[in-house]
Amino acid sequence: MPFQQSLLDLNDLFNFADFSTFTHNIPIEWVETALQLSSQATIWRRRLPADQVLWLVLGMAMFRDEPVHEVARRLNICAQGLASNDLLARSGITEARKRLGSEPVEWLFRQTAHTWGHERYTDDDWQGLQVFAVDGALLRTPDTPELRDHFGSGNTSTKRQTPFPMMRLVALMNVRSHVVVDAQLSPYRRSEMRLADSFLAQIPDHSITLFDKGFWSAHLMLSVSQQGTERHWLTLARKNAVSEEIEQYSPTDRLVRMKVSAHARKLNPNLPETWEVREVTYTEKGKQKVVFTSLPVSAYSETSIAKLYQERWEIELGFRDIKSSMQKNAVTLRSKKVELIYQEVWGLLLAYNVIRREASQAAEAFERSPSSIRFKPVCDYIAVQLVVMAAANPISGTGRRLKELRSGIGSLFLEAKTKTRPSRPRRVKISKTRYPVDYNAAPLK
């Protein structure tokens, strides 16, 4: 049955807007604890109380192409009932979001992420190890003096600043379920490696973490492998890395010794002067690539290591799902205040994890891998549920509705023959120009 027809059939079965999916995944005790962190808690019941504002922030992530006040109206977010223009002024929504702040949303994201990110599903392990990945992404904000002053931006080749202020996002992701285990947000100028260093403790024992080559650091890699039990790492080797061969296992597999830079040892005096890593060379699409890893040669072959590193791209797909499927390829985030920008992004990550976890639970019910479910249809499907299942039959409890939800998600699996995603080269997006553009102007002759 076509996906669009499934949504129409659901519309015939249920009424409008319920948060059963969110409230099933997020225990109410967590929500209450998060709301206690609100910087401006009040003793009276407002027309738009904090618990409703929290759901509004999640709804904003699900309905990016709609104004915030329309999201509130559609999702019935108001203490006295339908949030129409007569009951809830548009300015009241902004003030309510300011009262809530970003801290409760951040706390709730971390609480859920730390719980869901370590869950195991079908086909979750790689040779007995859970697979994680670390990478960073940039999110554009609207161009206002306040946001540019706080977030900053990069410089172009002409030494001009980039068109929009940019927020830096660094995340730790479970590669198989695509759930974000932890994340850090910061202004553009902060270092990705410093941000990643703050959540290395969230990497569990008996795991392998895939790093982008931009995170190459003796401090970072040794912090992963020397803490806990069986915590390994794998990353693409940096070009022109100077090393000394200690032992050769095969022509494309060897153990090498490298010096730890004086700058790194100055930042961390506990680092040794030298360290040993395994170097594996392989060929992909006619190009030779080299990876460094802490995996021992006695238990992990060079062929399996080369194949595993291809999964590092899964975290890039996760960022694409957030920017493309959830944000509808919007040029910038929608908020225009610093605190609300952080609130919006924490809500975006929380909503993303809810979708990913619900998809993983559905995949488990069908004895399939979570990575075999297509994200965008599931995102659209759950968004519809927030509207369609509002006033469902009282005898239809959360368990039954969730079963129906996952049954629908079960039809959204990737076919086995298309599970390998096609290659999509990166493209430079259109950026803002300082000169006015007249799209209706006649072409030059």
Side-chain angles (χ1 to χ4, degrees):
M1 179 183 297
F3 175 67
Q4 292 81 358
Q5 185 61 46
S6 299
L7 299 185
L8 292 175
D9 293 343
L10 283 170
N11 191 51
D12 294 335
L13 293 174
F14 300 103
N15 294 322
F16 287 85
D18 172 44
F19 293 99
S20 60
T21 299
F22 285 148
T23 54
H24 171 84
N25 285 282
I26 306 176
I28 191 62
E29 296 81 6
W30 293 358
V31 176
E32 293 174 349
T33 302
L35 294 177
Q36 292 175 5
L37 301 175
S38 180
S39 59
Q40 298 187 35
T42 56
I43 61 175
W44 63 83
R45 182 74 170 172
R46 294 180 179 270
R47 178 170 293 175
L48 194 57
D51 55 343
Q52 297 281 13
V53 180
L54 181 59
W55 301 130
L56 172 63
V57 173
L58 291 172
M60 288 169 52
M62 301 299 298
F63 300 96
R64 174 60 180 85
D65 53 353
E66 296 186 9
V68 178
H69 68 274
E70 178 64 17
V71 175
R73 187 195 67 78
R74 290 187 60 185
L75 297 183
N76 194 16
I77 298 177
C78 187
Q80 284 94 352
L82 186 64
S84 65
N85 291 333
D86 295 335
L87 290 176
L88 192 63
R90 298 185 184 185
S91 59
I93 297 177
T94 302
E95 292 304 315
R97 289 183 59 202
K98 289 180 180 178
R99 287 194 302 270
L100 178 66
S102 63
E103 191 175 359
V105 189
E106 177 185 354
W107 185 92
L108 192 57
F109 161 76
R110 295 194 187 282
Q111 181 70 14
T112 55
H114 296 172
T115 302
W116 302 341
H118 298 153
E119 292 177 334
R120 292 177 178 268
Y121 297 98
T122 302
D123 193 30
D124 194 40
D125 290 354
W126 176 81
Q127 299 190 28
L129 303 177
Q130 273 193 294
V131 186
F132 298 87
V134 173
D135 204 355
L138 295 174
L139 301 172
R140 296 186 183 96
T141 75
D143 191 4
T144 68
E146 177 187 354
L147 296 180
R148 187 171 287 277
D149 181 65
H150 177 83
F151 290 106
S153 60
N155 294 326
T156 65
S157 58
T158 58
K159 298 184 179 180
R160 290 176 50 237
Q161 287 187 318
T162 50
F164 295 97
M166 291 185 289
M167 167 188 278
R168 190 177 295 281
L169 162 65
V170 178
L172 169 68
M173 182 178 289
N174 185 319
V175 166
R176 300 299 172 87
S177 69
H178 284 205
V179 171
V180 175
V181 182
D182 209 335
Q184 289 291 339
L185 305 178
S186 80
Y188 174 77
R189 295 298 182 185
R190 289 287 302 277
S191 165
E192 286 187 337
M193 285 191 289
R194 297 292 176 265
L195 294 172
D197 187 52
S198 65
F199 54 61
L200 293 183
Q202 293 300 324
I203 300 175
D205 294 340
H206 306 288
S207 64
I208 173 74
T209 304
L210 314 178
F211 289 89
D212 180 68
K213 64 180 179 181
F215 290 86
W216 174 248
S217 161
H219 166 72
L220 207 61
M221 304 306 162
L222 290 175
S223 296
V224 172
S225 58
Q226 293 179 353
Q227 298 176 16
T229 304
E230 288 291 310
R231 298 206 320 173
H232 299 285
W233 54 267
L234 175 62
T235 184
L236 194 66
R238 299 188 70 171
K239 292 183 178 180
N240 303 320
V242 179
S243 62
E244 173 191 358
E245 182 178 304
I246 299 176
E247 182 178 356
Q248 187 178 61
Y249 308 123
S250 75
T252 56
D253 192 0
R254 60 179 187 158
L255 183 68
V256 299
R257 179 186 293 122
M258 293 184 292
K259 291 184 178 181
V260 178
S261 68
H263 177 70
R265 288 190 289 115
K266 182 178 179 180
L267 295 176
N268 183 359
N270 296 323
L271 291 177
E273 292 186 3
T274 62
W275 61 314
E276 297 177 0
V277 301
R278 182 181 175 189
E279 179 187 277
V280 175
T281 303
Y282 65 96
T283 302
E284 181 189 13
K285 296 180 180 179
K287 295 183 179 180
Q288 190 177 74
K289 294 188 176 182
V290 181
V291 294
F292 290 148
T293 184
S294 63
L295 292 168
V297 67
S298 58
Y300 305 95
S301 68
E302 57 183 294
T303 302
S304 63
I305 290 175
K307 185 177 180 180
L308 173 64
Y309 189 73
Q310 309 311 309
E311 295 193 41
R312 195 206 67 80
W313 188 250
E314 295 296 322
I315 190 172
E316 299 276 9
L317 296 178
F319 290 147
R320 184 198 66 182
D321 291 335
I322 291 174
K323 292 182 177 182
S324 178
S325 300
M326 298 186 70
Q327 287 289 284
K328 312 297 184 184
N329 290 317
V331 175
T332 69
L333 300 167
R334 69 164 89 205
S335 302
K336 296 182 179 179
K337 296 292 182 181
V338 171
E339 182 74 1
L340 298 187
I341 285 286
Y342 283 103
Q343 180 193 84
E344 179 182 347
V345 178
W346 288 124
L348 181 63
L349 293 174
L350 176 57
Y352 169 82
N353 271 359
V354 169
I355 297 169
R356 278 297 184 188
R357 184 173 191 259
E358 195 59 41
S360 297
Q361 296 284 332
E364 187 74 4
F366 284 85
E367 298 183 353
R368 298 284 295 273
S369 169
S371 61
S372 64
I373 286 188
R374 295 173 290 170
F375 179 83
K376 190 177 187 304
V378 175
C379 179
D380 294 340
Y381 186 89
I382 292 180
V384 168
Q385 299 312 297
L386 295 180
V387 177
V388 171
M389 299 172 67
N393 190 330
I395 64 173
S396 179
T398 299
R400 177 179 169 184
R401 282 183 254 170
L402 195 63
K403 182 179 179 181
E404 292 166 347
L405 174 67
R406 291 177 186 163
S407 177
I409 293 176
S411 66
L412 307 177
F413 287 104
L414 287 167
E415 297 297 331
K417 63 181 180 180
T418 61
K419 186 174 179 180
T420 302
R421 298 175 176 86
S423 175
R424 293 183 176 88
R426 297 184 179 184
R427 291 181 291 180
V428 178
K429 296 181 179 179
I430 297 175
S431 54
K432 186 177 65 173
T433 174
R434 57 179 174 176
Y435 302 108
V437 178
D438 184 0
Y439 294 98
N440 296 321
L444 297 175
K445 294 182 179 179

